[in-house]
Amino acid sequence: MTAEFMFITFTIFFAGMIAVPLASRFGLGSVLGYLIAGIAIGPVLQWAGVDVIALQHFTEFGVVMMLFLIGLEMQPKVLWAMRARIFVMGGLQVTITTLAVMGVAMLFGLGWTIALAIGLIFALSSTAIVTQTLNEKGLMRSDGGQASFSVLLFQDIAVIPMLALIPLLALPELSAALHHGDDHGAGHGESALNLNMVEGLPGWQTALVTLAAVGLVIFAGRYLTGPIFRYVGRARLRELFVSTALMMVIAIALLMTMVGLSPALGTFLAGVVMANSEYRHELESDIAPFKGIFLGVFFITVGASIDFALLGENLALIVGLTVGLILLKCAVMLALGRTFRLAGGDKWLFALGLAQAGEFGFVLVSFTVANAVVPPAVADLLLLVVALSMLLTPALFILYDRIIAPRYSRQQERAADEIAPNSKIIIAGHGRFGGIVNRALQAADYQTTVVDYSSEQLAMLRRFGLSAYFGDATRPDLLHAAGIEEADVFVIAIDNKEAATELARYMAEHHPSVHVVARAIDRWHVYDLWRAGCRDIIRETYDSSIRAARSVFEVIGHSRDEAERLIGMFEEFDRKTMVETAQAFLDSDDPHSENSAYSVLIRENLETWEAELKESMKKARQKAE
């Protein structure tokens, strides 16, 4: 390892460490922070002689890992349910955007072959930026997030035929110049390793090899993952398990590359196959840190790849092309969103989220130059447009968060369902938490009114005969339509912490007679809900943790009654101290500060509380013995 390598690595990580927390603090998101870091260190990397584009191709492995993790979160039946959006919406997006960009390029005087190649390049969007941002903001499960992901998935599939089509667009004059340049370099690189398994094969043989590779990925994911990890697990070495998980992802990506498929698409498919595996969560925890590092460096290289000298010489043209591309893609996405009946806010999330060019654009631009399709001078401008459009994407998400989303949270383009209030129990949110509450109540023959913002989720519920209504439960008019004035119980089971807290505050102020049961994401959320006026707060993982601790007591020799007694004592003590600390949190202007009433209470009593709890549990054990 050379000093130069360590200097470059330090520079990249140091820039990310400084820029990302600052960007997150100002609400700009981590992606924009990484991009800014890349812009800042671009001159340093150039001075150090770093091939930023080569580094970028290497760190694109973060996109591969990200899609593998997304696949692990998806059941095959969920993916099958999305097939219409993936192939119909995605296909229309790629086709319409390609033709629209091609038409504009021809108006600029470019030949149809060059214009078509540019259309193919700009039809793609950034899987890395969009998926990362949707996950960060908790928007992936929304209708707009699901539509965006469906189109991104089709774009990854579309890269394959694009790579096959582009060489057919070669220009004779560019081909001659390219071959002339190759003649000067004859004799070099003849022994280079070539792992392409389909090069030179007829079309039907290529198809067979490709299908065989996909079949191998599915077979290995379903039948070989378990035995491999059980074998590795016998060594009881954490690092071996991590390296095996990385090896599997790399092997799938390599196989897909060898047969001419997108490695990201292949690893996504493998993730879907492994979604039901007993090792799913272990794979997620092992790969997630590496995914984050690779993606972070990838975003930094995007920022560092901007050629400011060329940008300065053609500033008006490049900025105009970038803004024009974003507006054109927004128009296409909005039209598709309306066609596929996306609600107002989701339609704009879909349009703004996919308005940029994507990281595969860098690959395709280089590919078009190598295949004599696009002149190098034009390609340099295209690279800048791709990079700038990606740089502007976080700003588009900020526009959505601060201007568009608040507007549609009050006035949605799709009207909420007409609700016939026939229940004294209202449940806001029907996910993994609210769904169980609803099932238990209905099993006991109680009528409930369920309100959820995801039309796809509700459509699925209705297919199984469950009654649910579309709407934003944070809207006072919808709560009124649901019969909040006559309700006895209101269950807050929505995923968004801030929205849940605001909803609890609204209920405490305007409907204090309604008993509110609120789901808390974590301990800090308990305090926020308490401050908002809610007094029946359920920590989402608390009861399962208590049951796990009870099982441990039984395993180590306690009877069921003894275990119940010990756990009951712990619960009583934990709830008592939780109320005390929550009240101190309520009395503090800034509970997180070192000198707040909450912090002082914890510092002064933590040791006493722990000693008191241990003494009580000790007496309970002695009594049992």
Side-chain angles (χ1 to χ4, degrees), residues 53-74:
I53 300 300
L55 180 61
Q56 193 174 89
H57 291 330
F58 174 71
T59 54
E60 279 175 10
F61 192 62
V63 182
V64 171
M65 291 182 172
M66 178 177 64
L67 280 172
F68 178 72
L69 294 178
I70 291 173
L72 285 176
E73 294 291 335
M74 270 198 184

Side-chain angles (χ1 to χ4, degrees), residues 276-606:
N276 294 318
S277 168
E278 60 190 290
Y279 295 98
R280 166 188 161 189
H281 297 295
E282 186 73 21
L283 285 166
E284 284 183 296
S285 62
D286 288 341
I287 292 174
F290 295 95
K291 181 266 296 184
I293 292 172
F294 274 100
L295 273 183
V297 178
F298 170 73
F299 294 138
I300 289 176
T301 60
V302 171
S305 67
I306 297 176
D307 186 342
F308 284 98
L310 183 61
L311 177 62
E313 295 171 4
N314 303 272
L315 183 62
L317 174 62
I318 294 171
V319 171
L321 290 175
T322 304
V323 173
L325 174 66
I326 290 173
L327 292 176
L328 186 150
K329 295 189 76 171
C330 267
V332 173
M333 303 298 177
L334 285 173
L336 287 175
R338 182 178 294 276
T339 302
F340 285 83
R341 298 181 181 178
L342 288 178
D346 288 305
K347 182 176 67 178
W348 280 101
L349 174 63
F350 174 64
L352 293 173
L354 299 182
Q356 76 294 123
E359 54 275 354
F360 281 114
F362 295 111
V363 177
L364 290 182
V365 170
S366 300
F367 191 68
T368 57
V369 174
N371 285 274
V373 178
V374 174
V378 175
D380 291 340
L381 298 178
L382 296 180
L383 288 173
L384 278 176
V385 173
V386 171
L388 281 183
S389 68
M390 292 173 70
L391 181 63
L392 291 175
T393 301
L396 297 178
F397 275 105
I398 293 172
L399 172 66
Y400 170 81
D401 284 338
R402 299 185 181 178
I403 297 177
I404 295 174
R407 172 190 170 192
Y408 281 102
S409 66
R410 301 185 190 98
Q411 181 182 6
Q412 298 183 3
E413 182 176 290
R414 166 182 168 175
D417 290 341
E418 291 292 331
I419 300 176
N422 59 354
S423 170
K424 300 290 185 180
I425 305 171
I426 301 174
I427 301 175
H430 196 285
R432 55 193 173 91
F433 187 92
I436 293 175
V437 175
N438 185 42
R439 284 181 57 202
L441 290 168
Q442 291 202 341
D445 206 24
Y446 285 96
Q447 294 296 315
T448 60
T449 299
V450 177
V451 181
D452 197 289
Y453 71 94
S454 173
S455 58
E456 285 192 348
Q457 168 80 348
L458 299 187
M460 183 270 292
L461 293 175
R462 288 169 182 167
R463 284 199 297 270
F464 292 104
L466 299 176
S467 176
Y469 300 95
F470 173 84
D472 182 359
T474 62
R475 290 169 49 197
D477 59 329
L478 189 135
L479 291 177
H480 173 76
I484 195 65
E485 285 81 5
E486 292 76 34
D488 294 329
V489 182
F490 182 64
V491 180
I492 301 176
I494 57 181
D495 290 334
N496 190 294
K497 289 171 63 173
E498 291 74 19
T501 303
E502 287 303 315
L503 187 51
R505 182 174 292 110
Y506 173 83
M507 291 298 298
E509 293 175 358
H510 298 279
H511 302 284
S513 62
V514 179
H515 186 93
V516 176
V517 179
R519 162 213 196 175
I521 306 300
D522 51 36
R523 193 178 189 92
W524 291 112
H525 195 206
V526 171
Y527 296 146
D528 290 334
L529 289 167
W530 187 276
R531 180 189 281 263
C534 185
R535 292 298 180 266
D536 195 347
I537 305 168
I538 309 299
R539 283 177 275 176
E540 65 176 3
T541 59
Y542 181 77
D543 289 330
S544 57
S545 302
I546 287 295
R547 288 179 59 192
R550 185 191 66 194
S551 295
V552 172
F553 278 130
E554 292 182 41
V555 170
I556 61 179
H558 293 279
S559 68
R560 169 58 67 93
D561 290 340
E562 292 170 358
E564 290 282 6
R565 191 180 306 112
L566 289 168
I567 284 298
M569 189 172 296
F570 174 84
E571 279 195 273
E572 180 182 355
F573 186 85
D574 184 76
R575 293 181 189 277
K576 183 188 74 171
T577 55
M578 176 66 80
V579 172
E580 289 184 42
T581 53
Q583 189 59 45
F585 193 92
L586 178 63
D587 295 338
S588 299
D589 293 331
D590 182 10
H592 299 280
S593 69
E594 186 177 350
N595 298 318
S596 68
Y598 169 79
S599 299
V600 171
L601 178 70
I602 295 295
R603 281 201 305 270
E604 292 180 350
N605 292 279
L606 183 60

Side-chain angles (χ1 to χ4, degrees), residues 123-139:
L124 304 178
S125 303
S126 175
T127 301
I129 291 180
V130 176
T131 310
Q132 176 89 345
T133 307
L134 289 174
N135 282 323
E136 278 186 7
K137 296 180 179 295
L139 295 170

Side-chain angles (χ1 to χ4, degrees), residues 25 36 49 77 94 114 116 138 164 177 186 193 237 256 265 285 289 312 340 353 357 384 399 483 529 541 552 606 612:
R25 179 179 179 182
I36 293 172
K77 60 182 180 181
V94 170
I114 298 176
L116 177 56
L193 182 63
L237 294 173
M256 293 297 99
L265 179 64
S285 62
F340 285 83
L384 278 176
L399 172 66
L529 289 167
T541 59
V552 172
L606 183 60
E612 182 182 339

Side-chain angles (χ1 to χ4, degrees), residues 19-99:
V20 174
L22 286 175
S24 299
R25 179 179 179 182
F26 291 107
L28 303 179
S30 65
V31 174
L32 186 56
Y34 283 121
L35 293 171
I36 293 172
I39 292 172
I41 65 171
V44 177
L45 296 181
Q46 187 177 6
W47 168 78
V50 177
D51 187 345
V52 176
I53 300 300
L55 180 61
Q56 193 174 89
H57 291 330
F58 174 71
T59 54
E60 279 175 10
F61 192 62
V63 182
V64 171
M65 291 182 172
M66 178 177 64
L67 280 172
F68 178 72
L69 294 178
I70 291 173
L72 285 176
E73 294 291 335
M74 270 198 184
Q75 304 292 334
K77 60 182 180 181
V78 175
L79 189 62
W80 178 251
M82 295 168 59
R83 64 189 184 280
R85 280 190 170 177
I86 293 174
F87 293 102
V88 181
M89 181 186 280
L92 287 173
Q93 182 273 321
V94 170
T95 302
I96 296 172
T97 305
T98 298
L99 293 176

